[in-house]
Structure formats: structure tokens, C-alpha cells
């Protein structure tokens, strides 16, 4: 099905119904920070949001923001970090093929960005959570969120926790998650600065002048189109393409039908609008992959593939486990855990305790479990024999699992079936400069067009750390606002 509205519209063919210095498309974390910085730079700003309110996927997320290099929170909790160590980890863990210039500036200005968020009203509790988990169970403000303290990274790069989580807010019957508490002060600041927000408005087309400069947008509100002029620049910040099956089939088919940590308005439209102007894209095949299992269970057991072999260290960031499972093992994985370790895991606090369902198989021997799962004869037995031999000596020469989680697997023994228990979102998108200019395939900036957030290729090129999306979305969103205001 063709969509002619994706093609740019000539300014000579439109009648402007509204104008501003800067037009921001999308009011999630990237769009909000862009609107804030553009307004602070003295620009008149109109922000368009497809949904009925601001916040986007960011407001529904756990809320991690990946920050380091010696933030005030890290220091107050006694953790040392440096810009160089942060750079080294991000370049090793988020690749291959990271945009080193983006990583460098992101790390060099990470402390300043933390301070900016705090000044904007984002609150971080001075508390640390050091157990395996997707998120801290009690709202702790700091956590290892990318496998920094696990193999292979901890052997060569001094680890530091960089997952900064906004303080949760208690309500009458529940708690507001960190993502909501990140977006609440940012959206309040957008309003305070006088940004004109137009909800239920979807950007249909970009408008260009005779010099191919982007000078506005066509937005649709309940079937009615209006042309909005941008005197200085347009910022695209409308999210990923996790809900566009055509784009997924073309670029990231492994997560088609399994979107996670994204919302249905993430249809990739900003990427297509940029491409229609000749914009370059990068890492369109890259995805984050969540695995729906409690990390407290995985760390205490072992993970094996369809051949009964281990393939990843079990005490690392669970997103790395998810990627390794879906991308390298065809989505086949089983958690093997004995009764003692299972009972121990059940006593721990976890935000993913709902994933501690009854194991699918429980057997009196490893051989019986191997047969019940349908693994090749002798494969699981050999894997556990080797693991137990080294675990008894406090070592894991295959994957480097930390001593605190190394314990020989005894009996009775059980297994969780993780096949199909994965979902994710896309990481690739428009190629942008460190100043958030959208780049043409020639390498030159497209005049008047800027972008940030998950519609762009940010600091992640393949690997992922929790907080990288909200981190680079807010950081480069700010830069997009500054650049657009400067025109």
C-alpha cells in the first residue's frame, strides 16, 4: 500500500495556518527536552503530539537514564566512575559499530546532563540496588543496568553502576513508575516555558522550499490537515518503528510480532519522512530484546540452548541474555535450576516476581530432565558435569560468572522453558550528527531538519544497556532543540 503523504510537499503549494520558530514532532522524552531547550534559547515553539497527552513511551517505561562519569548520585553512594571508563564500556557493550563521536560527547557531558535533569525537577533517591533484576524493587536510585559488573566487561573495565532511576511517587492505590516521574517535571517545564502543545496531531508530511530546506510540516488532526511553518527548524522525535510490520520485515524481522517497551504510535513515520528527503539511516537491524524471566532465577541457575549447552553468563544484564537468546540461539533457551537455588530465589525481592511461575519440568535427575525437555542425549548431563566441576572450585572458565552465583547444581532439578518469552524494540533510525542534524546520504546535514530519540540511530548500535534510550533521547533531544532554535 502506497502512502503519497510521505513525500515532501513544496512550500509553494501550501497555505500556512500556524507558524513558529521551531516545530517539534513528538512529546516523549526527546521531544520534550528539545522543546525545552529551543524555548530557553528564545524560540517560539509548537510541539505536536499524536496521542492525547504527552509522555510517550518514556512515561510508561521503568525510567532508567544511563548516566555516569561521576554524577552526584554515584559520588554520594561511594562509587567511583570516570568519563574514560564510561566511554570504554559503552563502546564495548553497545556495538559493534557504535558512533564513537556520539558516545564521546555523551560521556563527556553526562555529569552536566545529570545536573540538568535534577535542575529540571527530576529526583533520584540516594540508594543503591546490587541484586540481579530488571529494576530496583524498592525504587532505589542507582543500579548496574548494562552488565558493567559482569563478564566479559568487568575483567578489563572498572565497573560502575550507571542506571539512574527517578524516584517513584506513591499514589492512593499504587506507585507511579520512574518513567512517569521523569516525564512529569519535563512536561511541566514545557508548559511553564510557553510551548504551544497540540495533541491528537500526527505529522503527515514535511514541507520544503525551493532550496530543499525543511520549512514546516503538514499535521493531521481527526482527518483535518493543517500546514505549520517552522521559521528555523523542525525536530522529529516520534519514536521507533517497533509497530510497523513492513519496516520490521525489511530490517529487523526477528522481533516482528513481539514489540516490547514501545507504544503503538511507534510506527517509524519520522524515519520514512527523513528517507523521503534522502536522509541516511544506520543500524536498522539493531534491537533491544527483553527476556521474560526473573533475573534472580537466571543468576542462580544456568541457561542452556536447544543443544543443552550454555551460551551466556547468567549473571549479566538480562537484556544481553535476551539478545543472545533470540539473535544467536534462534530463541531457544531453558533455565536449569535445582531446588535449593529455586527456593533461595523465591525469598528475594524482585520487580519481576510475577515471572516466577512453576517450572515446566521438575525431575529427580539431570538425565530425566534432559529427556523431558527433549535435549540431545547426554548433552545437558555433560554441561552440568562441567559446570559443577568448576563451580565447586569457585570458577567459571567458560563464561566468567561471578563467584557469588557459582554453586554446583544438585537435585531435584527443574527447568523453565523460555522459548517465545522475548520481546523488544528497534534501535536504528535516521543518521544524525552530534548536534542532532539529520544527515543526507551524502553526509551533509539536511537544512532545517533535526531529530532525536528512537527515530534516530543513537549511542546503541547493537548491544544495549537499560537507560540508553532515555539517556540519549533526552541528551540529543536537548541538542536538537538548541540546533533548531539557532536555525
Amino acid at each position: 500500500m502506497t502512502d503519497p503523504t510521505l513525500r515532501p510537499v513544496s512550500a509553494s503549494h501550501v497555505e500556512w495556518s500556524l507558524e513558529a520558530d521551531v516545530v517539534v514532532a513528538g512529546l516523549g522524552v526527546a521531544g520534550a527536552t528539545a522543546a525545552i531547550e529551543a524555548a530557553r534559547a528564545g524560540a517560539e515553539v509548537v510541539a505536536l503530539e499524536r496521542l492525547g497527552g504527552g509522555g510517550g513511551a518514556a512515561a510508561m517505561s521503568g525510567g532508567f537514564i544511563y548516566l555516569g562519569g561521576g554524577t552526584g548520585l554515584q559520588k554520594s553512594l561511594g562509587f567511583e566512575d570516570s568519563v574514560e571508563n564510561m566511554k570504554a564500556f559503552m563502546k564495548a557493550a553497545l556495538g559493534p559499530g557504535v558512533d564513537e563521536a556520539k558516545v564521546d560527547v555523551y560521556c563527556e557531558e553526562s555529569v552536566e546532563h545529570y545536573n540538568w535533569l535534577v535542575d529540571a525537577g527530576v529526583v533520584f533517591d540516594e540508594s543503591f540496588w546490587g541484586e540481579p533484576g530488571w529494576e530496583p524493587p524498592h525504587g532505589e536510585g542507582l543500579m548496574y543496568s548494562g552488565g558493567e559488573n559482569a563478564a566479559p566487561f568487568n575483567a578489563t573495565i572498572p565497573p560502575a553502576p550507571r542506571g539512574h532511576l527517578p524516584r517513584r511517587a506513591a499514589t492512593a492505590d499504587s506507585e507511579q513508575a520512574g518513567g512517569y516521574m521523569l516525564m512529569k517535571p519535563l512536561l511541566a517545564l514545557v508548559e511553564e516555558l510557553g510551548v504551544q502543545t497540540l495533541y491528537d496531531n500526527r505529522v503527515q508530511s514535511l514541507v520544503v522550499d525551493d532550496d530543499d530546506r525543511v520549512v514546516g510540516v503538514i499535521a493531521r488532526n481527526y482527518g483535518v490537515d493543517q500546514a505549520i511553518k517552522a521559521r528555523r527548524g523542525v525536530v522529529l522525535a516520534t519514536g521507533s518503528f517497533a509497530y510497523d510490520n513492513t519496516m520490521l520485515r525489511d530490517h529487523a524481522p526477528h522481533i516482528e510480532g513481539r514489540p516490547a517497551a514501545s507504544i503503538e504510535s511507534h510506527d517509524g513515520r519520522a524515519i520514512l519522512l527523513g528517507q523521503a528527503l534522502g536522509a541516511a539511516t544506520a543500524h536498522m537491524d539493531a534491537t533491544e530484546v527483553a527476556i521474560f524471566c526473573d533475573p534472580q532465577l537466571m543468576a542462580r541457575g544456568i541457561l542452556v540452548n536447544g543443544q543443552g549447552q550454555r551460551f551466556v553468563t547468567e549473571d549479566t544484564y538480562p537484556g544481553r541474555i535476551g539478545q543472545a537468546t533470540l539473535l544467536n540461539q534462534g530463541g531457544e533457551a531453558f533455565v536449569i535450576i535445582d531446588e535449593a537455588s529455586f527456593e533461595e530465589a523465591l525469598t528475594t525481592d524482585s520487580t519481576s516476581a510475577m515471572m516466577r511461575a512453576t517450572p515446566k519440568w521438575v525431575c529427580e535427575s539431570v538425565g530425566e530432565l534432559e529427556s523431558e525437555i527433549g535435549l540431545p542425549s547426554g548433552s545437558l548431563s555433560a554441561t552440568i558435569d562441567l559446570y559443577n566441576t568448576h563451580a565447586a572450585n569457585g570458577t567459571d572458565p567458560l563464561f566468567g560468572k561471578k563467584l557469588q552465583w557459582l554453586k554446583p547444581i544438585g537435585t531435584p532439578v527443574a527447568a523453565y522453558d523460555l522459548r517465545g518469552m522475548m520481546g523488544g524494540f528497534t534501535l536504528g533510525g535516521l543518521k544524525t550528527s552530534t548536534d542532532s542534524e539529520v544527515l543526507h546520504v551524502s553526509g551533509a546535514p539536511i537544512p532545517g531538519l533535526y531529530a532525536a530519540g528512537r527515530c534516530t540511530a543513537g549511542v546503541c548500535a547493537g548491544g544495549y544497556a537499560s537507560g540508553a534510550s532515555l539517556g540519549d533521547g533526552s541528551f540529543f533531544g536537548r541538542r536538537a532543540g538548541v540546533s533548531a532554535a539557532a536555525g
Side-chain angles (χ1 to χ4, degrees):
M1 184 175 179
T2 60
D3 183 355
T5 66
L6 288 170
R7 296 181 181 275
V9 176
S10 171
S12 61
H13 296 158
V14 302
E15 182 177 338
W16 304 111
S17 54
L18 183 67
E19 64 179 89
D21 295 320
V22 174
V23 175
V24 177
L27 206 51
V29 72
T33 53
I36 289 167
E37 291 291 62
R40 283 178 168 173
E44 181 185 5
V45 183
V46 168
L48 307 171
E49 169 54 51
R50 179 174 173 178
L51 302 178
M60 301 173 67
S61 72
F64 272 122
I65 310 157
Y66 199 79
L67 300 163
T71 67
L73 185 60
Q74 287 178 315
K75 289 180 177 179
S76 70
L77 292 170
F79 291 101
E80 292 187 7
D81 194 12
S82 71
V83 170
E84 292 309 312
N85 286 342
M86 185 181 180
K87 286 182 183 180
F89 174 77
M90 292 184 71
K91 290 176 182 180
L94 305 185
V98 295
D99 185 327
E100 295 202 5
K102 280 188 177 178
V103 172
D104 284 346
V105 71
Y106 182 78
C107 294
E108 288 161 6
E109 299 186 19
S110 183
V111 171
E112 184 275 337
H113 189 50
Y114 169 83
N115 293 335
W116 186 93
L117 290 166
V118 171
D119 290 343
V122 182
V123 179
F124 301 94
D125 271 331
E126 290 188 5
S127 52
F128 170 70
W129 179 253
E131 293 284 318
W134 281 106
E135 297 168 12
H138 314 113
E140 289 85 351
L142 189 65
M143 179 179 170
Y144 286 102
S145 67
E148 300 89 345
N149 61 335
F153 311 110
N154 61 352
T156 56
I157 306 168
R162 301 190 183 99
H164 289 59
L165 190 68
R167 176 186 291 168
R168 298 175 182 173
T171 62
D173 55 0
S174 63
E175 278 189 325
Q176 298 287 8
Y180 176 89
M181 295 308 294
L182 168 65
M183 292 307 302
K184 185 177 180 180
L186 294 181
L187 292 173
L189 191 51
V190 167
E191 183 177 357
E192 180 185 321
L193 290 168
V195 173
Q196 183 177 358
T197 52
L198 302 179
Y199 297 111
D200 299 308
N201 271 268
R202 182 194 195 213
V203 172
Q204 293 289 98
S205 311
L206 295 175
V207 181
V208 297
D209 66 13
D210 292 340
D211 296 321
D212 292 327
R213 179 183 180 86
V214 176
V215 294
V217 303
I218 306 295
R220 177 166 294 176
N221 173 247
Y222 294 111
V224 178
D225 290 347
Q226 64 174 333
I228 305 173
K229 185 176 183 179
R231 293 184 290 260
R232 303 185 193 175
V234 170
V235 177
L236 299 177
T238 59
S240 74
F241 60 96
Y243 273 90
D244 186 282
N245 286 334
T246 299
M247 294 181 73
L248 287 176
R249 281 192 292 272
D250 287 346
H251 304 290
H254 49 278
I255 65 163
E256 184 182 356
R258 51 174 107 221
S262 49
I263 54 179
E264 291 185 13
S265 56
H266 281 194
D267 61 0
R269 190 167 190 86
I271 299 171
L272 298 176
L273 289 171
Q275 287 181 303
L277 291 177
T281 58
H283 308 300
M284 293 288 284
D285 61 333
T287 59
E288 156 67 337
V289 181
I291 189 163
F292 305 129
C293 183
D294 184 6
Q296 292 279 4
L297 291 170
M298 293 190 288
R300 287 174 169 81
I302 61 170
L303 281 151
V304 301
N305 59 19
Q307 288 74 48
Q309 301 168 327
R310 290 177 71 208
F311 58 93
V312 67
T313 183
E314 295 86 0
D315 60 348
T316 189
Y317 166 55
R320 294 189 64 79
I321 294 174
Q323 287 183 319
T325 300
L326 186 60
L327 305 183
N328 301 330
Q329 306 301 326
E332 292 205 346
F334 307 90
V335 175
I336 312 298
I337 190 168
D338 64 22
E339 183 178 37
S341 294
F342 173 76
E343 294 293 340
E344 183 180 86
L346 293 186
T347 67
T348 62
D349 293 331
S350 174
T351 56
S352 49
M354 76 291 292
M355 299 177 188
R356 297 172 178 173
T358 303
K360 184 171 184 177
W361 302 280
V362 180
C363 300
E364 292 298 322
S365 71
V366 173
E368 182 186 354
L369 181 65
E370 183 180 80
S371 176
E372 288 290 319
I373 297 173
L375 298 173
S377 178
S379 61
L380 183 61
S381 300
T383 293
I384 290 180
D385 285 346
L386 180 62
Y387 178 82
N388 285 353
T389 296
H390 292 294
N393 297 322
T395 63
D396 178 18
L398 271 68
F399 295 100
K401 192 174 183 178
K402 294 191 292 294
L403 177 62
Q404 71 187 101
W405 307 114
L406 281 173
K407 179 183 176 183
I409 296 172
T411 54
V413 64
Y416 284 86
D417 188 351
L418 300 185
R419 290 174 295 187
M421 302 294 286
M422 281 145 277
F425 57 88
T426 58
L427 300 175
L430 297 170
K431 198 167 186 178
T432 54
S433 71
T434 56
D435 290 321
S436 299
E437 304 157 301
V438 175
L439 301 178
H440 188 267
V441 291
S442 66
I446 295 175
L449 188 62
Y450 309 87
R454 280 278 62 87
C455 66
T456 70
V459 296
C460 297
Y464 194 73
S466 277
S469 286
L470 298 184
D472 85 13
S474 55
F475 181 83
F476 290 105
R478 290 175 58 201
R479 288 185 158 233
V482 171
S483 296

